[in-house]
Amino acid sequence: MNMIDNLDKKIIEIMKKDSRCPFVEIANQLGVSEGTIRSRVHRMTDEGIIRGFTIKTSSRNVKALVEIRIDVNTDTQGIAKELASYDGVTEVFEVTGDQDIIAIVDVESSQYLNEIIERIRRYDNILSTRTRIILKEHFGEA
């Protein structure tokens, strides 16, 4: 069982805001040694608590949320995994509510966004899609 304590949570919080923050800087902020930070990050990575390090770019790309409603008795996880493999789809979530899946799409043009939406709509068990273009992003920086 993966157990994380308060220090792990604080490390993750700092790294969510800046995944390139040097371990020594994290250590100074949290009042522990750089070696402690290094070993904890390596342990959390090995245990799958930290699954990757990402970057946020300020691009001219078209970003959108594509909300997908699927038929009952459908393998939601299978569709979600398939969508996650598409180029331009950065994240896929299975959700509660009116929609069943939300995909975050980040592509270079609205034409490519439309191609992805058309590809999604070709599934037999997709009842509907709704696309929301992201106008402005706000990240959790202090």
Side-chain angles (χ1 to χ4, degrees):
M1 174 102 174
N2 298 337
M3 296 295 294
I4 66 171
D5 62 16
N6 252 2
L7 182 58
D8 290 339
K9 287 177 186 166
K10 288 176 182 171
I11 293 167
I12 290 168
E13 194 57 40
I14 292 168
M15 292 184 77
K16 275 183 177 177
K17 290 177 182 168
D18 178 7
S19 66
R20 294 185 61 210
C21 188
F23 290 162
V24 68
E25 191 177 311
I26 297 170
N28 289 340
Q29 282 184 47
L30 300 179
V32 297
S33 75
E34 184 265 351
T36 297
I37 300 300
R38 179 177 309 283
S39 65
R40 286 193 176 231
V41 169
H42 288 304
R43 177 184 52 77
M44 289 189 288
T45 304
D46 290 344
E47 291 177 359
I49 295 164
I50 296 175
R51 292 197 311 249
F53 299 88
T54 62
I55 59 168
K56 294 172 183 151
T57 60
S58 66
S59 67
R60 304 194 61 77
N61 278 7
V62 176
K63 293 184 180 183
L65 297 174
V66 180
E67 300 173 349
I68 303 157
R69 203 158 62 90
I70 61 175
D71 211 350
V72 292
N73 301 325
T74 300
D75 178 13
T76 307
Q77 187 175 349
I79 292 175
K81 282 184 175 169
E82 178 79 21
L83 298 178
S85 72
Y86 288 12
D87 282 342
V89 174
T90 59
E91 294 179 87
V92 177
F93 304 97
E94 292 180 48
V95 296
T96 61
D98 295 342
Q99 310 300 316
D100 300 294
I101 296 173
I102 295 179
I104 311 288
V105 179
D106 183 349
V107 290
E108 51 277 359
S109 68
S110 53
Q111 178 183 341
Y112 194 56
L113 172 60
N114 282 329
E115 288 173 19
I116 289 175
I117 293 165
E118 290 305 315
R119 195 170 160 194
I120 291 169
R121 287 180 176 162
R122 282 198 283 267
Y123 286 94
D124 291 335
N125 36 19
I126 300 292
L127 297 178
S128 66
T129 63
R130 181 167 59 194
T131 303
R132 299 173 187 268
I133 302 294
I134 296 171
L135 300 176
K136 188 172 185 181
E137 295 179 60
H138 301 273
F139 300 115
E141 284 92 17

